[in-house]
Amino acid sequence: MAAATHSAALTQLTYGVGRWGTGELVLRGARPVYHELPWPARVPSKVRHIDAEDIADRRPGDPAERYIKAFARYLSGRRVNFDPESFGLDELCDEMGMTDLERAIAHALAGVKWGERISYGELAARAGRPGAPRAAGAFCSSRCVIELLLPAHRVVRADGSLGEYGSRGIVYKQRLLALEGSA
């Protein structure tokens, strides 16, 4: 394994998952502060890259490997729910300078479980702000920096249509929902 890049206690690496491509993970200590799902066009890091297949049959050696194993399990279609306390959601909200509304949306989003699909309006209501579906949508599209841990792909439009999913688009969102049996 190559040395990791550390900057102000950050560890940045890429990881590969079979048919999905290469993802990116940034940790502050043992806590994820950024996660981008695998994408076929992403180039693996020359500093540290972990192939999920290489660690599949052994205990994780560090927090990065623990998260990568969980992401790989999810991407293979196995049920994975992430506990916001275990991945330090409150600390992330503090670091990002989230407003009270954004913090409430983040916590509500973290509570959307495997196979569940809710609307932006429902997400806003769960966050205690039923009149703020646009704020919920804006959060999902721009402030959701730890993909899967905050499952923005499970949030859809009020009419049930999938809506957007950032630069990856609707097909990627559909693929994630199909894994969960809710596409």
Side-chain angles (χ1 to χ4, degrees):
M1 235 178 251
T5 299
H6 293 279
S7 173
L10 292 178
T11 302
Q12 181 176 2
L13 61 123
T14 59
Y15 67 94
V17 177
R19 304 175 330 248
W20 289 86
T22 301
E24 183 177 353
L25 178 63
V26 179
L27 300 165
R28 180 178 305 285
R31 186 172 53 77
V33 294
Y34 181 80
H35 174 242
E36 193 170 321
L37 283 160
W39 189 246
R42 180 177 291 118
V43 177
S45 170
K46 291 182 172 140
V47 177
R48 183 173 184 199
H49 178 80
I50 299 172
D51 239 319
E53 285 183 13
D54 293 344
I55 62 171
D57 296 330
R58 66 176 167 85
R59 285 180 74 98
D62 61 26
E65 289 184 2
R66 184 170 46 90
Y67 281 105
I68 291 166
K69 283 186 84 152
F71 298 150
R73 275 194 311 274
Y74 174 90
L75 294 169
S76 71
R78 296 199 315 246
R79 181 182 297 263
V80 177
N81 285 309
F82 297 97
D83 173 42
E85 206 169 289
S86 70
F87 66 80
L89 181 55
D90 285 325
E91 292 88 347
L92 180 68
C93 291
D94 290 342
E95 275 183 9
M96 292 186 67
M98 288 186 189
T99 65
D100 289 341
L101 175 58
E102 290 170 330
R103 183 181 289 272
I105 292 170
H107 278 276
L109 185 55
V112 180
K113 298 299 181 197
W114 173 279
E116 185 179 8
R117 194 189 298 190
I118 66 170
S119 70
Y120 294 105
E122 289 172 86
L123 179 59
R126 288 183 184 191
R129 296 285 296 273
R134 286 181 185 237
F139 180 89
C140 289
S141 70
S142 65
R143 297 287 275 172
C144 191
V145 297
I146 48 176
E147 294 177 335
L148 281 190
L149 299 165
L150 291 179
H153 66 281
R154 296 177 184 151
V155 186
V156 299
R157 293 180 175 154
D159 66 5
S161 64
L162 296 184
E164 298 300 317
Y165 195 61
S167 62
R168 289 185 188 78
I170 198 166
V171 172
Y172 199 95
K173 186 173 188 173
Q174 241 172 347
R175 193 173 173 197
L176 293 173
L177 291 170
L179 282 176
E180 299 179 12
S182 63

